[in-house]
Amino acid sequence: MGRQIDWENLGFNYIQTDCFIKYVWQNGAWSQGELLTEPYLNLHIAATALHYGQSAFEGLKAFHGKDGDIRVFRPLQNARRMARTARRICMPEVPEDMFVDAIERVIQANRDYVPPYGTGGALYIRPLLFGSSPQIGVSPAEEYIFLVMVLPVGPYYKGGLQPVRAVVLEDYDRAAPQGVGNVKVAGNYAASLEPHAKAHEQGFAVELYLDSKEHTYIEEFGTSNFVAINGQDRFITPTSSSILPSITNDSLQHIAQDMDIPVEKRPIPFDEVSTLKEAGACGTAVVLTPVNEIVRNGRSYRVGPEQGCGEKLEVLYENVTGIQHGDKPDPYGWILNVDSARTS
Ligand SMILES: *Cc1c(COP(=O)(O)O)cnc(C)c1O
């Protein structure tokens, strides 16, 4: 079935694959997990996920290497982040072993859908955990579903490392300082739909959020972190209690450090944008999209070269994708090769 896919022209759209894997949490324990072919659930109409947003998701990718092996990028980090999210909205955690095992099983069952080496595509892996039992008073569900679905994707933004423009919308915030911005709950994306549509209407690919208390500091884009190279050639990225800790960002930081690019993690006032040499949006779907212009209150700030990507961010991008595809060595132990015995 995977053979009918036009690998060169994949977008970031839902495509049905052979199966997904589903586990149920009942009476305090997880089931064994079963592979199901029909992409529908029989869900109670009063499930807490539907009414109260008791739902968490993750996103990661697997790649076909030149050697034919399938490599998953940093699945343990996603397992840990999902566990943090689960705690924040009172759901049972998925044990790390079960999380990784689910991913391995669903990939093996959908091998035909992992885009071939060299096409630029990947198998996108979407773990989902949500309250599935009925509740009308506001309290956590008693039963939960954990599932992992997979689908082949191309690059999120077509055209690779072509720079995009970002806008700050003063009338919107992404997350409250002590809210749920630092965990991957479904509702965060619901909140971003309207501002994202407005940004799009105005001709911007992404919207940049500032801290919701003062609108002074840079937080992140709707679905990706903010990273930049400043005038001192340092890699800078903001810290805040309401930013979602991106695994891609963490990976870029490790590589920057090992290339002797100093890494600064601190609150970044918006005023600093006028000093930036390069900027980008990072996340699993895109890895890194260069941002070369930010518009706020009708004023435009140039934050990167007119064409292409800045030099430093491009090298970091090449290194992350090189490790992901198995073209570069993985000194960090980030890769889970599902076709060879697991090491650490
Ligand atoms: C998932 C997500 C990111 C990117 O995280 P990665 O682990 O790099 O994929 C960034 N910001 C938000 C709000 C997210 O939900």
Side-chain angles (χ1 to χ4, degrees):
M1 276 197 253
R3 264 168 261 124
Q4 290 159 11
I5 295 169
D6 180 3
W7 301 114
E8 306 293 334
N9 292 302
L10 281 174
F12 200 85
N13 307 307
Y14 178 78
I15 290 173
Q16 189 179 333
T17 52
D18 283 351
C19 60
F20 71 98
I21 191 163
K22 179 187 151 193
Y23 299 70
V24 178
W25 194 85
Q26 267 173 332
N27 305 318
W30 284 109
S31 65
Q32 290 302 305
E34 53 177 337
L35 293 163
L36 298 169
T37 54
E38 287 300 310
Y40 294 95
L41 296 168
N42 194 10
L43 193 61
H44 197 286
I45 60 169
T48 60
L50 300 177
H51 296 250
Y52 303 134
Q54 201 187 20
S55 178
F57 68 102
E58 276 299 331
L60 64 163
K61 281 177 172 174
F63 306 85
H64 249 140
K66 218 178 229 164
D67 53 11
D69 284 2
I70 298 173
R71 291 173 175 78
V72 191
F73 190 63
R74 305 193 75 180
L76 262 183
Q77 295 300 312
N78 296 89
R80 288 175 189 152
R81 190 168 64 188
M82 182 167 255
R84 276 204 306 278
T85 308
R87 286 196 292 273
R88 178 63 180 80
I89 59 171
C90 298
M91 302 195 290
E93 290 174 28
V94 172
E96 285 173 16
D97 282 357
M98 178 179 136
F99 186 96
V100 173
D101 195 51
I103 286 173
E104 293 200 67
R105 284 168 71 187
V106 76
I107 291 175
Q108 290 295 8
N110 287 285
R111 288 190 70 97
D112 288 351
Y113 296 92
V114 184
Y117 176 83
T119 57
L123 188 74
Y124 184 71
I125 304 162
R126 167 55 61 82
L128 182 67
L129 169 65
F130 60 92
S132 54
S133 60
Q135 206 75 260
I136 274 305
V138 181
S139 61
E142 279 163 10
E143 294 177 10
Y144 292 83
I145 290 176
F146 171 63
L147 64 85
V148 183
M149 61 182 230
V150 294
L151 57 147
V153 298
Y156 194 85
Y157 298 113
K158 288 254 157 91
L161 285 179
Q162 278 317 301
V164 301
R165 300 162 70 224
V167 65
V168 175
L169 299 169
E170 295 290 343
D171 299 343
Y172 289 93
D173 293 318
R174 196 191 76 88
Q178 300 183 91
V180 289
N182 60 346
V183 290
K184 223 166 165 72
V185 296
N188 286 339
Y189 279 32
S192 76
L193 292 173
E194 188 177 61
H196 187 71
K198 291 222 164 134
H200 237 248
E201 272 165 32
Q202 296 174 25
F204 298 93
V206 286
E207 70 281 10
L208 178 63
Y209 294 93
L210 304 181
D211 78 279
S212 57
K213 202 167 174 182
E214 300 180 41
H215 271 217
T216 301
Y217 298 96
I218 294 173
E219 293 246 305
E220 64 173 316
F221 301 100
T223 60
S224 47
N225 274 187
F226 179 90
V227 298
I229 303 293
N230 74 3
Q232 286 86 51
D233 288 324
R234 289 163 179 266
F235 178 102
I236 64 169
T237 191
T239 49
S240 147
S241 60
S242 46
I243 291 175
L244 192 282
S246 152
I247 296 162
T248 313
N249 191 347
D250 181 76
S251 310
L252 294 168
Q253 290 167 31
H254 274 97
I255 293 169
Q257 238 144 16
D258 288 348
M259 290 176 50
D260 291 323
I261 301 172
V263 172
E264 272 183 26
K265 298 198 277 184
R266 57 173 170 81
I268 300 176
F270 182 82
D271 291 348
E272 270 189 57
V273 295
S274 51
T275 68
L276 301 181
K277 285 184 176 168
E278 305 176 26
C282 72
T284 294
V286 293
V287 179
L288 188 79
T289 298
V291 173
N292 68 358
E293 186 186 345
I294 301 172
V295 173
R296 182 183 184 189
N297 288 329
R299 220 185 123 182
S300 162
Y301 303 82
R302 177 139 305 272
V303 293
E306 189 89 43
Q307 294 292 322
C309 188
E311 195 183 308
K312 289 224 157 47
L313 288 182
E314 178 154 12
V315 175
L316 296 177
Y317 171 87
E318 295 297 342
N319 276 281
V320 171
T321 54
I323 293 172
Q324 289 179 331
H325 290 94
D327 292 335
K328 288 189 195 270
D330 169 28
Y332 311 102
W334 285 343
I335 295 295
L336 170 67
N337 185 326
V338 303
D339 293 315
S340 71
R342 205 183 310 171
T343 45
S344 61

